[in-house]
Amino acid sequence: MPGRKPKPHISAVREGTYRADRHTEGARFAPADPAEPDWGELLPGDRSEDVRGKATEVWHRTVPALVVAAGLTDSQRETAIEYCVTVARLWQAERELSRHGLVVETERGNVKSPWVTIAHQYRSHFRALVGELGLSPASATRITPPETGGDDDGDIFD
């Protein structure tokens, strides 16, 4: 659908701009915390050990924050998994570029390293996922924190 991304239902209600003909509540997911995947199964092989470690690190640093800030649920975990793998692969590509350089020597002479293309593709995917998950400062303003269950819950940001 062309144009701006639709505003979340709850944001329109809070701002007083809700109109039944323009807004829908959208999907509601069960509030179960996302389960961390088995990185060994997802990223098998001896050469993926460092990528698995980085993906695990990103998961533990990012997903708990997304659960609190954006209400990420287990039903939505594939997007979080994709984010973790993308960060890990981007990290791997940048590391290989640092080791071997931007230009590699082949039978045909010096050419651009294939890691340049890989890094570019993962960086594009990274930017899309950051926007989707609200992980950049600009996209974070579009994410509406989940409503708390009751008055005695307190503010999570106190």
Side-chain angles (χ1 to χ4, degrees), residues 114-130:
W115 287 106
V116 172
T117 303
I118 292 167
H120 177 72
Q121 289 171 339
Y122 274 107
R123 189 165 278 110
S124 295
H125 193 57
F126 171 78
R127 279 194 291 276
L129 288 168
V130 162

Side-chain angles (χ1 to χ4, degrees), residues 25-89:
E25 278 195 44
R28 293 198 176 238
F29 297 99
D33 286 353
E36 183 175 4
D38 178 357
W39 297 109
E41 182 180 319
L42 189 64
L43 302 165
D46 294 338
R47 299 190 79 201
S48 296
E49 187 174 334
D50 58 336
V51 176
R52 284 191 298 270
K54 186 65 173 179
T56 300
E57 175 190 325
V58 172
W59 178 276
H60 289 287
R61 187 179 66 237
T62 309
V63 171
L66 288 172
V67 168
V68 172
L72 185 72
T73 68
D74 193 57
S75 302
Q76 302 162 319
R77 81 182 192 128
E78 280 69 25
T79 304
I81 292 169
E82 186 68 21
Y83 173 77
C84 294
V85 170
T86 297
V87 170
R89 291 293 188 196

Side-chain angles (χ1 to χ4, degrees), residues 92-106:
Q92 178 186 27
E94 291 296 339
R95 196 181 63 221
E96 292 298 324
L97 282 171
S98 294
R99 284 184 183 157
H100 304 290
L102 298 172
V103 176
V104 294
E105 192 172 323
T106 67

